[in-house]
Amino acid sequence: MRVQKLTFAALAIAAGLTLTACQSDDDGKGQSAPSSPPSVSSSGGGHGSDSSGAGGSDQGGGKDSAGKGSGGQGAAAGTGSKESGKAAKCRTDELQITAKDGTIDGDSDGTVVVELKNRGGRSCAISGYAGVDLKTNAGSLSAKRTGEQAPSTVLKAGQSTFFGINYPFNKSGGSGIRVTGLLVTPPSETKTVSLPWPGAATLPITDGSGSPVKVGPIGSAGQGG
């Protein structure tokens, strides 16, 4: 009987140890379970930023150390710098317009050279034909364009460009048409500048078939005519 009691006691102790070990395992599992969600949460933060639209790939740039998009502002700055590179057209009030005789000895026709100088504080663009009218004792006479191609010119502050006016000499022996002044209107402008006429005093009387005065495009003449 004593041997059986000892045996039962040993079994009871073993069963108790086994039960304690099982409880320890269960407790360990219970403690390790909460550690999993923080790990998933820390790795899933990027998805939260994408869903809110901050720093996503649709903005066209990568992310910096703060997780913000790095490409959007650079594109906007590039557009602005492109637009600022254009020169506005030259206005009449920005131009100093003068005329002088550019006829060279031996020429069959007379030449007047008109200078347009940029006196403004910025660069400006000018191209095409100026409007040219001669004031005469018989009324206003409009110059006819030569039809030459008009180059585009950007005038920096202080720079000049030139065009020529060609007219026939009065060789008829008569009084002809007396020229009293010159009117010049820059391209794409409506404001006209009135200048003294530096050429020959008279033009021959024509048969009315067309203007005998021709005007070239801006940039078609130099300082010498």
Side-chain angles (χ1 to χ4, degrees):
M1 291 294 295
R2 184 175 181 84
V3 174
Q4 290 179 351
K5 289 181 179 180
L6 290 174
T7 301
F8 290 146
L11 291 174
I13 292 172
L17 293 175
T18 301
L19 180 60
T20 300
C22 292
Q23 290 176 349
S24 298
D25 291 341
D26 292 339
D27 291 342
K29 292 179 181 180
Q31 293 176 359
S32 61
S35 64
S36 178
S39 175
V40 174
S41 175
S42 63
S43 64
H47 296 288
S49 298
D50 291 341
S51 63
S52 65
S57 60
D58 58 339
Q59 294 186 359
K63 297 181 182 179
D64 56 19
S65 58
K68 296 180 180 179
S70 60
Q73 294 182 352
T79 302
S81 62
K82 182 178 180 181
E83 292 296 325
S84 63
K86 294 183 178 180
K89 70 177 182 178
C90 297
R91 314 294 301 193
T92 301
D93 292 337
E94 296 176 312
L95 297 171
Q96 180 181 350
I97 304 175
T98 56
K100 67 178 182 179
D101 184 13
T103 305
I104 300 175
D105 291 342
D107 286 351
S108 58
D109 292 326
T111 301
V112 167
V113 177
V114 179
E115 177 182 3
L116 301 94
K117 184 175 183 179
N118 181 6
R119 64 179 184 180
R122 63 181 180 90
S123 296
C124 64
I126 188 168
S127 64
Y129 284 79
V132 172
D133 295 280
L134 273 61
K135 295 189 293 182
T136 75
N137 62 338
S140 179
L141 178 64
S142 296
K144 184 178 179 180
R145 296 179 179 182
T146 61
E148 298 174 67
Q149 185 175 359
S152 297
T153 303
V154 175
L155 295 178
K156 295 182 180 179
Q159 287 187 334
S160 297
T161 187
F162 305 83
F163 69 87
I165 303 171
N166 294 98
Y167 62 94
F169 293 121
N170 181 16
K171 299 177 181 179
S172 65
S175 60
I177 300 174
R178 183 167 55 88
V179 183
T180 60
L182 172 64
L183 300 175
V184 176
T185 307
S188 304
E189 281 289 273
T190 57
K191 188 173 183 179
T192 300
V193 175
S194 180
L195 303 172
W197 172 250
T202 63
L203 299 175
I205 297 175
T206 64
D207 57 4
S209 59
S211 174
V213 182
K214 311 294 183 185
V215 57
I218 299 293
S220 62
Q223 296 183 17

